[in-house]
Amino acid sequence: MLIRFMKKLKTLWQRSIVYRVFVKKYRRYFIIGAISLITVDIINIFPPLIIKKTIDMLSGDSNMRGIAYYIGLFLLATFFQGACRYV
């Protein structure tokens, strides 16, 4: 029953004007955009964690090399966020 429903849904979607005009024509760009958005969402997890580690390091034993490391990680994460959002 579920398979029959999925086949009907697929047929309905393929007859849709939205599918024929936009999705079918620009399929590659939709896939690239979806992957890019998913990547941005995953990368959004890291900056708060990096900031937490940096603050913990500042409150405890603060060495400049460790802080510079976390600053570099933060900049790298924000660069990748921007690049994926641009794509």
Side-chain angles (χ1 to χ4, degrees):
M1 184 166 166
L2 181 64
I3 295 172
R4 200 166 40 192
F5 174 73
M6 294 300 287
K7 285 181 181 179
K8 285 183 180 182
L9 190 62
K10 182 180 177 183
T11 305
L12 181 65
W13 174 248
Q14 288 177 346
R15 285 192 221 161
S16 169
I17 192 164
V18 173
Y19 176 76
R20 287 181 299 181
V21 174
F22 297 108
V23 177
K24 194 173 181 182
K25 187 176 181 181
Y26 300 108
R27 180 178 302 156
R28 181 172 23 144
Y29 299 114
F30 279 119
I31 292 171
I32 291 170
I35 291 171
S36 181
L37 287 173
I38 291 168
T39 305
V40 167
D41 287 340
I42 291 170
I43 294 173
N44 277 339
I45 296 170
F46 295 109
L49 295 175
I50 295 169
I51 291 171
K52 177 192 175 295
K53 290 281 191 178
T54 307
I55 290 173
D56 289 344
M57 184 174 282
L58 285 172
S59 66
D61 183 30
S62 61
N63 58 5
M64 292 306 285
R65 188 173 186 183
I67 294 170
Y69 173 75
Y70 285 119
I71 289 172
L73 277 178
F74 185 79
L75 291 174
L76 188 67
T78 55
F79 172 76
F80 279 120
Q81 279 180 333
C84 288
R85 284 184 180 148
Y86 180 74
V87 169

